[in-house]
Amino acid sequence: MTQNTTGGTAAAPASTTTTTGRTARGDRITADVRGSGPGVVFVAGAGPFRAVDPITTRTAELLADAGTTTVVFDRLGRGDSPAPGRLDLDRELDAVAAAIDLAGGSAVLCGHSSGCAISLRAADQGLPVTGLVLWEAPLELGAEETRAWAAEIERRMDAGDLEGATEHFMKDMPPEWLAGAKASPDWPAIAASVVSQRADAQALTWATRALADGGLAGVPVPLLALTGTETFPGMPEAAARLAAAVPEGSAETLAGAEHSWDPEPMAARLARFVLA
């Protein structure tokens, strides 16, 4: 159940193996695995998967060339990781554990956006996580506000109102993002995929509460909170709070804009973190 693609020149990226893993609950995840060395697993936020995320793919290629094993996987209910039923946080954490297995049994987690909260919860729950690199964790809102936001998303999902759930998930994002999504011919598919974001909403509810009440003090691994040089209001402050909330935390700014990073400097910074 694997497919191998190997670059043809010395300057080409490390070879890529597209493979599958199984979670403890029997869900299947599909992942691209590259390189050899300490493991790094990329945990996407709301929406992205391998086929539509060239930035993460390029970062993983560069990082694999630096001497690591990188895993980019489709989260449950996305891309090539189909999963019916209720995709809650516990089920997603099982998928993260399966991705860590593909990385060699332990890994640094690189979370993006709400994937940061899932990564934090994975470390908190004792998964074999060796470090956390978190890009623009959206923890700027208060715990109660986040809880109410997440509860409304789940209410709309459970009522079958997937478009409404998507709109509510995106309500605090730049309005042009939602307008662009609704104007796209892919809008029905975008709305249908919101079922995979229940885990994001639940993880953000937990993370904002843990950030407020000191619950992150037990996170047992080094954490690097990153924000882009061009970012949204509140993100740098949230990164600083996050770094201060864990025993081994730091916060930095790195090249990036529109809630995303530049692959080359991100890969270089990840390599320093992982190989230190």
Side-chain angles (χ1 to χ4, degrees):
M1 298 181 71
T2 65
Q3 173 185 351
N4 294 318
T5 305
T6 304
T9 69
S15 62
T16 301
T17 299
T18 299
T19 188
T20 59
R22 289 282 177 181
T23 75
R25 300 169 192 243
D27 290 318
R28 186 194 77 194
I29 63 164
T30 301
D32 292 334
V33 182
R34 300 175 175 89
S36 178
V40 182
V41 172
F42 290 84
V43 182
F49 52 96
R50 290 157 42 251
V52 299
D53 190 2
I55 290 175
T56 298
T57 292
R58 180 58 179 154
T59 306
E61 290 172 348
L62 293 167
L63 185 57
D65 287 343
T68 71
T69 299
T70 65
V71 176
V72 181
F73 74 103
D74 287 345
R75 284 185 42 195
L76 295 180
R78 303 181 191 175
D80 295 320
S81 298
R86 190 175 190 271
L87 303 178
D88 61 13
L89 178 56
D90 288 340
R91 197 169 167 189
E92 192 65 57
L93 290 175
D94 283 350
V96 173
I100 293 173
D101 284 344
L102 294 176
S106 63
V108 168
L109 299 184
C110 179
H112 175 240
S113 192
S114 52
C116 296
I118 294 172
S119 300
L120 271 169
R121 188 58 168 165
D124 176 76
Q125 289 291 286
L127 272 65
V129 176
T130 56
L132 295 165
V133 178
L134 306 180
W135 180 271
E136 298 199 349
L139 303 178
E140 70 276 15
L141 300 180
E144 183 55 33
E145 184 177 358
T146 302
R147 185 206 61 76
W149 165 83
E152 179 61 15
I153 291 167
E154 294 203 64
R155 186 194 69 77
R156 295 185 187 197
M157 281 186 199
D158 293 340
D161 180 12
L162 301 186
E163 290 193 6
T166 305
E167 291 169 350
H168 196 74
F169 195 102
M170 298 180 71
K171 78 180 189 69
D172 293 320
M173 299 180 188
E176 60 270 21
W177 290 9
L178 178 58
K182 295 180 76 171
S184 166
D186 295 327
W187 171 242
I190 293 170
S193 72
V194 76
V195 296
S196 73
Q197 294 167 26
R198 187 188 300 269
D200 301 73
Q202 292 178 347
L204 287 167
T205 299
W206 169 80
T208 51
R209 174 60 61 191
L211 186 59
D213 65 14
L216 296 181
V219 171
V221 296
L223 180 153
L224 175 61
L226 296 173
T227 50
T229 46
E230 299 177 42
T231 189
F232 305 126
M235 284 289 180
E237 293 79 6
R241 288 181 63 212
L242 180 55
V246 301
E248 296 182 70
S250 60
E252 296 178 12
T253 300
L254 202 65
E258 294 295 321
H259 205 36
S260 189
W261 61 69
D262 289 350
E264 287 76 10
M266 182 61 164
R269 186 64 187 91
L270 278 166
R272 292 198 304 274
F273 183 91
V274 174
L275 300 173

